[in-house]
Amino acid sequence: MNNSNGFLLVVSGPSGAGKGTICNALLEKYPEEYALSISVTSRAPRGMEVDGKEYFFKTLEEFEEMIRLDLLLEHARYVNNYYGTPRQWVEEKLQEGVNVILEIDYQGGFQVSRKIPNVLMIFIMPPDLEELKNRLVFRGTESEEQILKRLQKAEEEIKMAEQYDYIIINEDVEKSVEMLHNIVLHEKMKLTGE
Ligand code: 5GP
């Protein structure tokens, strides 16, 4: 990475911790400075999700073909489905000087940080697990079995939080957005002296 490149931000956190809301609010507030990578997944669309907006939805076979052709920067399996980050788009944006957000799990996050220098690893923590459960149930898009699996996964993910560069406890979206933006400004200053 040279100094005019954007930062690659890995934003992880348990499902329901509010990382999607934070990233969208950050993009809305600073549209010139950030871009969100759209992942590829083999899972079925949920609720109102649209192909090419939340995800690129692929069959298992299509996904495996993308792995084989090395089109993904990273990929991971999460609760019976594959998720991955398209490589080319991310690399182009970084070269344009835009900070690219990857909203991905820790398996993918650590893969990326081994491949690309100066990745910023940020973990979004829910204020408490009970609250997380409420948010998942309130979302109403998963079956009870899926919710249980996601809660188990959440506990597993929270154990990884200490290996991240920063942890943001999401008590208030607006404040979390500013924290995230300040982290990027601070890291850029450390790198460039600007
Ligand atoms: P969901 O099914 O709720 O949209 O996502 C489930 C999990 O997959 C979340 O923790 C999310 O961060 C993660 N995820 C989404 N896209 C990717 C990706 O491209 N790569 C990896 N490794 N994880 C992803």
Side-chain angles (χ1 to χ4, degrees):
M1 163 169 178
N2 70 42
N3 285 352
S4 60
N5 277 13
F7 273 105
L8 190 55
L9 310 177
V10 168
V11 179
S12 306
S15 182
K19 57 188 185 300
T21 314
I22 293 172
C23 291
N24 288 336
L26 182 75
L27 288 164
E28 206 164 291
K29 197 156 180 192
Y30 306 101
E32 313 269 286
E33 291 167 61
Y34 296 92
L36 181 68
S37 162
I38 300 175
S39 296
V40 183
T41 183
S42 68
R43 88 150 158 73
R46 191 163 65 200
M48 304 285 282
E49 287 179 336
V50 175
D51 187 42
K53 189 160 172 267
E54 286 80 7
Y55 285 103
F56 296 107
F57 295 99
K58 302 282 178 196
T59 63
L60 205 60
E61 292 72 28
E62 286 169 335
F63 197 102
E64 283 167 351
E65 180 70 357
M66 291 187 81
I67 300 174
R68 213 174 50 75
L69 296 174
D70 198 26
L71 298 179
L72 301 175
L73 190 58
E74 61 74 37
H75 67 276
R77 234 186 135 83
Y78 178 99
V79 188
N80 299 335
N81 284 301
Y82 278 124
Y83 295 80
T85 304
R87 174 197 299 283
Q88 195 185 352
W89 186 88
V90 170
E91 290 178 348
E92 284 170 7
K93 284 284 160 198
L94 290 176
Q95 278 164 17
E96 287 167 20
V98 176
N99 303 306
V100 177
I101 303 169
L102 305 184
E103 213 190 296
I104 65 180
D105 78 338
Y106 67 87
Q107 304 171 72
F110 294 130
Q111 281 180 52
V112 172
S113 72
R114 281 194 292 269
K115 283 187 194 163
I116 294 189
N118 296 316
V119 171
L120 281 179
M121 302 275 295
I122 293 150
F123 194 90
I124 308 292
M125 189 76 95
D128 62 57
L129 264 184
E130 206 44 45
E131 171 71 18
L132 184 76
K133 196 169 167 188
N134 289 340
R135 286 189 206 178
L136 272 176
V137 174
F138 180 71
R139 191 159 80 178
T141 48
E142 281 93 4
S143 66
E144 203 169 320
E145 190 200 339
Q146 282 286 329
I147 290 174
L148 279 176
K149 277 195 184 159
R150 279 173 181 264
L151 281 173
Q152 273 171 12
K153 188 80 189 171
E155 287 187 29
E156 194 183 302
E157 279 184 276
I158 285 171
K159 291 196 189 117
M160 306 307 290
E162 62 190 36
Q163 294 185 43
Y164 278 66
D165 298 318
Y166 294 92
I167 298 175
I168 295 176
I169 299 172
N170 183 26
E171 276 166 343
D172 175 278
V173 172
E174 191 65 15
K175 282 191 192 139
S176 301
V177 167
E178 276 319 295
M179 271 186 230
L180 190 48
H181 185 57
N182 285 333
I183 288 170
V184 174
L185 294 181
H186 173 71
E187 290 289 334
K188 192 163 171 62
M189 202 174 70
K190 279 204 317 202
L191 202 67
T192 63
E194 279 167 22

